Amino acid sequence: MSRTDGSALPTVGVAMLHMGDRPAELARALETLRAQEGVALDVVIVGNGWEPVGLPDWVRTVHLPENVGIPEGRNVAAREARGELIYFYDDDAALPTTDVLARLAAVILSDDEVAVAQPRGADPDGKPSPRRWVPRFDVRDGGKAGPATWFWEAVFMIRRTAFEQVGGWPGRFFFGHEGIDLAWRLVDAGWRIEYVPSIVVHHPATSAARHAIYYRTNARNRVWVARRNLPAPLVPVYLGAWTAVTLARVHDPEALKVWFKGFAEGVRTDAGERRPMSWRTVGRLTRAGRPPVI
């Protein structure tokens, strides 16, 4: 099979995580993945604390005896999956048409400066999409298409060379804000992120706060993101802004107690390698509508 210009099909390594807890959703995800046209796929499922069993023979697997968290599990899957592009795909997502991956690949391969193409997420039952799915402050009508400063981690495609250039996911984060860390490093390296709401992927609309570790890692990783990526004068501005946002949004005293403990953990623990973005990148993010202080 070939592209219309006679060259080979885009090669896409599909990186998935599974913990053995959503077999029906995984089956649907794989069924719609198998139906994709116009791309050559290499599918890898990482059993994150689960030994992969009962999967189709066209899926390759990696068994991690312990749950290493979402970003590090995705790093493992990305290293194993073969392809010029990597599609990170949640195990409870689904592809509603057979051309989703080919269209995302076309967005990236049409421009050497594009690293990421993010589709629009839609709940299959029609529930409103969470704000975090849309890389815009204005989320009306699914948000405006075009360059973005962050992306939704659950279902997006990335150029492998860009992913590897900036070091992949911050594995130590375990859960939360790994996407903004990766996005900022991509933008600082000169890459562009494209939001393409005309391409739709299904995903159940759920609250991230349903996870028991949410408030702790949300706060800790906010601090780590700032310490790793921001010029020193912006670190307290960013953390002050997000503390104010949290106090405005969260009214449960116990949740706030956990959040502030997580914040303190982020201050006193190792955030990993510090690579502050340039002031030029700060300006670029600001002009794009998302100054790196909020």
Side-chain angles (χ1 to χ4, degrees), residues 32-52:
T32 61
L33 182 63
R34 184 66 163 169
Q36 292 299 294
E37 300 172 348
V39 288
L41 300 179
D42 181 47
V43 182
V44 171
I45 293 180
V46 169
N48 206 5
W50 169 74
E51 185 169 2

Side-chain angles (χ1 to χ4, degrees), residues 89-166:
Y89 187 35
D90 269 9
D91 62 358
D92 56 347
L95 306 172
T97 61
T98 61
D99 62 351
V100 171
L101 297 192
R103 292 174 66 191
L104 290 173
V107 170
I108 295 175
L109 296 177
S110 67
D111 190 328
D112 289 342
E113 294 184 354
V114 174
V116 169
Q118 187 212 304
R120 178 166 62 91
D123 182 275
D125 298 322
K127 296 177 183 177
S129 298
R131 292 188 62 89
R132 70 181 187 279
W133 290 7
V134 183
R136 297 283 185 260
F137 282 126
D138 185 353
V139 300
R140 289 174 296 180
D141 301 319
K144 183 181 178 181
T149 59
W150 83 98
F151 55 86
W152 178 37
E153 304 96 326
V155 287
F156 75 98
M157 187 175 287
I158 187 168
R159 192 186 299 266
R160 180 179 293 277
T161 52
F163 180 76
E164 293 179 348
Q165 177 189 350
V166 300

